[in-house]
Structure formats: C-alpha cells, structure tokens
Amino acid sequence: MAITTIKSTYSLDVESVRTLEALARRWQVSKSEVLRRALRIAATTGDEGENAPLEALTRLQRTVRERGVDFAEWGRGLKRERRAVERRFRSGPK
C-alpha cells in the first residue's frame, strides 16, 4: 500500500537545521523521517503548553505534601553534608 506524502516548505533557523541534520545522521534516516518522529513524539507526550511549568510546580508541591517532607530537617541534613564536605576539603588529600 502506498503512503501519501505532501511536500511542504518551512523556514527553520540555523540551529534547528543543524539539529535536524545531526539527528538524521545519528538515527540514519532522512530529515523528513526525523520530522515525522519528532511530530509523533510531541503529539503523544501530553505537553500542556504554556501552563506546563506551573502544572509541574503544582504536581511537585502536591507530592511534597503527600509525602510529608520536613523541609526544616532536610535543610539541617543538607547543612551537615556541606560541613562534612568542607572538612574533607580542608584536611586535604589522604
């Protein structure tokens, strides 16, 4: 069965063209196939568009709440780790 193709012209910036060409070489396919794959991936990833960063932050905050993360303890632990690393660097190589 023949696959219908439509020839189109698009304008890309230089960096996008270089990326397209690099992917085509890496995947050993045509640039058209790279674009087809990229479109399929973009269509199936569930990208939320403009709200993606805010929604990611909301999910992170919800997860932190659900897991009951104690940020005060986390901060104290981080300080202990940093001090331990500083002491190791000050003492020099063994």
Side-chain angles (χ1 to χ4, degrees), residues 8-84:
S8 299
T9 302
Y10 298 94
S11 298
L12 299 172
D13 58 274
V14 174
E15 188 59 34
S16 294
V17 171
R18 288 180 180 152
T19 301
L20 177 64
E21 291 170 342
L23 286 171
R25 280 191 305 275
R26 184 185 323 159
W27 294 346
Q28 297 179 348
V29 297
S30 67
K31 290 182 273 188
S32 293
E33 178 60 20
V34 171
L35 291 171
R36 283 190 289 270
R37 290 180 185 185
L39 289 170
R40 278 194 296 271
I41 290 167
T44 60
T45 58
D47 182 16
E48 293 89 9
E50 289 181 17
N51 295 326
L54 181 57
E55 290 179 13
L57 175 60
T58 301
R59 285 193 307 271
L60 173 63
Q61 289 171 334
R62 185 180 328 113
T63 301
V64 166
R65 268 193 313 275
E66 289 170 355
R67 293 183 181 183
V69 175
D70 181 349
F71 282 106
E73 177 54 38
W74 178 77
R76 288 188 294 272
L78 188 58
K79 282 183 182 180
R80 286 191 298 269
E81 282 184 47
R82 287 179 178 164
R83 287 183 189 129

Side-chain angles (χ1 to χ4, degrees), residues 80-93:
R80 286 191 298 269
E81 282 184 47
R82 287 179 178 164
R83 287 183 189 129
V85 169
E86 286 174 9
R87 282 192 296 273
R88 275 185 267 159
F89 278 112
R90 285 185 194 141
S91 65

